[in-house]
């Protein structure tokens, strides 16, 4: 055997090894059992690069998601509880969950649709938040739909008048971990009566790999306007320019830079807890946000077809929940970038419509793509 053939054989062995190592997969296991005896399953999705996501059927919650740093080290970048009980008993911080039927707030839980007045439960001071006992607290049906680009389909039927909303609503959410290290989320829904809908995802990101703080992350939002809120966090109706305010993220800026500036909106939100309106509100996929953690080099790009995003800087995290890594989740140790329609739209005629009618299909998509810089 000459030198050349040895090299060819060695290369073939190495390539074979890589192929073995880089196999994508989706596995199913039992995660927990509810007090009613129902099994909650956990699905582990791994792509060819080794990026991994764990999803549970309670709330369709993403309980872990890894992304590589500049050295290629994959670490968990989403907050989660350390034990199943909080996911099973109300998910108080909405960690990683699917949010619906209406993500964000509806003033006083009231709205009128086709001349009928509806009253939803009030669960956030005087307002209705995140669907009441919402989709985050429901058990979803799961079906593995692909293993090469690992993909999981979750389905849930929200019955007519559940939490006061009209219409039987069939919802599916598909999570895919693409081979480009992106988490793709596709939402679809249909109804048999006119209803309102605003689905989103409530993962708290922290790209550092230790979940200590998000104040050292820098954020860019392709949004020249945001929605100021009243002191119950309901939009006043004004679309305010971000120019010259702490809400200006049109050029990437460290979150800590302005978060403690004296500003009435920051006082009301206890930090950032506001909805930004994209410059491009047309319904097509576009790049809308970028989140960067300099030390690790991790970068997350957000794409969506939605018109707005709620940037919540983890202001209600108060150091009482256990951190998956070490210690507890301190104030501002995670942040949410919830793509969505504007809060309280059912009561604000100037805001884009959130109405879904029988025969129509609600269809939207958001992508969180991970890379390094
Ligand atoms: C959303 C809201 C926040 C808060 C969190 C959950 O992001 O806008 O005010 O309720 O969910 O704690």
């Amino acid at each position: 055997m000459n030198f050349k053939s040895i090299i060819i054989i060695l290369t073939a062995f190495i390539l074979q090894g890589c192929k073995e190592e880089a196999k994508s997969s989706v596995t199913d296991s039992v995660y927990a059992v509810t007090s009613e005896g129902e099994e909650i399953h956990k699905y582990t999705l791994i792509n060819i690069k080794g990026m991994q996501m764990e999803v549970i059927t309670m709330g369709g919650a993403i309980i872990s998601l890894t992304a590589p740093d500049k050295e290629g080290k994959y670490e968990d970048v989403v907050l989660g509880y350390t034990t199943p009980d909080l996911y099973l008993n109300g998910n108080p911080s909405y960690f990683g969950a699917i949010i619906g039927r209406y993500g964000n707030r509806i003033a006083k839980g009231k709205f009128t649709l086709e001349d009928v007045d509806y009253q939803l439960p009030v669960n956030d001071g005087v307002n209705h938040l995140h669907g009441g006992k919402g989709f985050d607290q429901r058990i979803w049906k799961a079906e593995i739909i692909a293993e090469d680009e690992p993909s999981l389909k979750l389905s849930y039927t929200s019955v007519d008048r559940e939490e006061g909303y009209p219409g039987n609503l069939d919802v599916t959410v598909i999570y895919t971990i693409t081979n480009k290290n992106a988490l793709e989320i596709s939402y679809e829904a249909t109804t048999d009566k006119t209803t309102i809908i605003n689905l989103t995802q409530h993962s708290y990101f922290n790209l550092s790999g230790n979940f200590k703080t998000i104040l050292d992350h820098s954020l860019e939002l392709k949004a020249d306007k945001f929605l100021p809120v009243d002191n119950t966090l309901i939009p006043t109706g004004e679309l305010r320019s971000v120019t010259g305010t702490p809400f200006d993220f049109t050029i990437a800026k460290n979150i800590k830079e302005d978060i403690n500036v004296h500003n009435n909106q920051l006082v009301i939100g206890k930090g950032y807890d506001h909805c930004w309106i994209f410059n491009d509100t047309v319904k097509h996929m576009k790049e809308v946000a970028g989140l960067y953690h300099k030390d690790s080099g991790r970068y997350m790009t957000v794409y969506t077809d939605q018109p707005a995003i709620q940037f919540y800087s983890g202001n209600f995290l108060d150091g009482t929940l256990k951190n998956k890594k070490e210690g507890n989740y301190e104030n501002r140790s995670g942040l949410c970038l919830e793509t969505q329609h504007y809060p309280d739209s059912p009561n604000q005629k100037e805001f884009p419509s959130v109405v879904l009618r029988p025969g129509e299909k609600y269809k939207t998509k958001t992508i969180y793509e991970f890379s390094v810089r």
Side-chain angles (χ1 to χ4, degrees), residues 199-200 288 302 304 306 308-310 337-341 366 368:
L199 303 182
T200 190
V288 293
V302 186
T304 191
Q306 291 291 283
I309 197 163
Q310 182 86 3
L337 290 169
E338 308 158 49
T339 54
Q340 56 186 250
H341 265 258
T366 292
Y368 298 97

Side-chain angles (χ1 to χ4, degrees), residues 346-359:
N347 295 309
Q348 309 220 17
K349 297 286 162 289
E350 304 299 311
F351 291 176
S353 169
V354 290
V355 174
L356 182 71
R357 294 185 176 79

Side-chain angles (χ1 to χ4, degrees), residues 215 246 255-263 266-267 270-272 331-332:
L215 292 175
I255 292 167
K256 68 169 169 256
E257 197 166 315
D258 290 336
I259 199 167
N260 292 320
V261 162
H262 188 77
N263 172 286
L266 288 175
V267 172
K270 298 187 167 54
Y272 296 109
N331 192 229
R332 298 178 179 153

Side-chain angles (χ1 to χ4, degrees), residues 93-94 104-105 129-130 202 204 233 273 310 312 316 338:
S93 299
Y94 304 92
N104 219 315
R105 294 174 177 79
L129 173 67
H130 294 334
H202 213 291
Y204 287 63
L233 296 178
D273 194 357
Q310 182 86 3
Y312 165 61
F316 297 124
E338 308 158 49

Side-chain angles (χ1 to χ4, degrees), residues 66-316:
T66 69
D69 70 2
K70 57 190 172 198
E71 258 84 59
K73 184 171 173 209
Y74 281 79
E75 282 178 300
D76 197 355
V77 294
V78 293
L79 275 59
Y81 307 112
T82 50
T83 53
D85 51 307
L86 286 170
Y87 288 109
L88 267 48
N89 296 299
N91 192 345
S93 299
Y94 304 92
F95 277 172
I98 299 168
I99 303 294
R101 187 176 300 200
Y102 197 91
N104 219 315
R105 294 174 177 79
I106 296 178
K108 306 203 167 61
K110 288 184 197 302
F111 68 99
T112 304
L113 192 59
E114 296 182 331
D115 298 325
V116 181
D117 295 333
Y118 292 94
Q119 177 67 59
L120 311 173
V122 155
N123 60 333
D124 184 58
V126 295
N127 300 319
H128 176 80
L129 173 67
H130 294 334
K133 183 178 176 194
F135 296 176
D136 57 296
Q137 293 172 61
R138 307 289 171 180
I139 301 173
W140 292 66
K141 253 206 255 108
E143 186 195 335
I144 298 169
I145 53 174
E147 293 204 42
D148 46 349
E149 271 201 318
S151 193
L152 185 74
K153 179 176 170 183
L154 297 169
S155 326
Y156 176 68
T157 298
S158 168
V159 296
D160 186 26
R161 292 297 178 142
E162 181 181 279
E163 294 302 272
Y165 291 96
N168 292 296
L169 186 79
D170 289 317
V171 190
T172 63
V173 175
I174 299 177
Y175 289 132
T176 305
I177 297 293
T178 73
N179 293 332
K180 282 172 69 191
N181 277 355
L183 161 60
E184 265 187 34
I185 310 171
S186 301
Y187 306 83
E188 282 190 19
T190 52
T191 182
D192 61 359
K193 270 188 204 149
T194 304
T195 191
I196 55 166
I197 184 166
N198 187 29
L199 303 182
T200 190
Q201 223 292 334
H202 213 291
S203 284
Y204 287 63
F205 298 97
N206 181 319
L207 304 181
S208 68
N210 60 37
F211 302 126
K212 290 219 163 84
T213 182
I214 48 87
L215 292 175
D216 59 354
H217 288 46
S218 95
L219 178 68
E220 180 183 349
L221 295 173
K222 295 194 188 300
D224 292 342
K225 296 194 180 77
F226 78 104
L227 300 176
V229 289
D230 68 14
N231 53 18
T232 71
L233 296 178
I234 295 292
T236 60
E238 178 193 350
L239 270 67
R240 188 177 291 173
S241 165
V242 297
T243 310
T245 77
F247 293 81
D248 192 348
F249 288 94
T250 53
I251 294 170
K253 174 174 84 180
N254 253 313
I255 292 167
K256 68 169 169 256
E257 197 166 315
D258 290 336
I259 199 167
N260 292 320
V261 162
H262 188 77
N263 172 286
N264 188 39
Q265 284 298 313
L266 288 175
V267 172
I268 294 174
K270 298 187 167 54
Y272 296 109
D273 194 357
H274 294 78
C275 188
W276 273 253
I277 310 303
F278 300 131
N279 301 335
D280 177 359
T281 53
V282 177
K283 196 163 186 295
H284 65 124
M285 287 305 279
K286 64 232 162 196
E287 186 180 329
V288 293
L291 183 69
Y292 179 49
H293 181 254
K294 195 160 173 250
D295 290 351
S296 64
R298 288 192 183 89
Y299 194 91
M300 183 176 84
T301 313
V302 186
Y303 304 85
T304 191
D305 57 12
Q306 291 291 283
I309 197 163
Q310 182 86 3
F311 162 39
Y312 165 61
S313 53
N315 315 316
F316 297 124

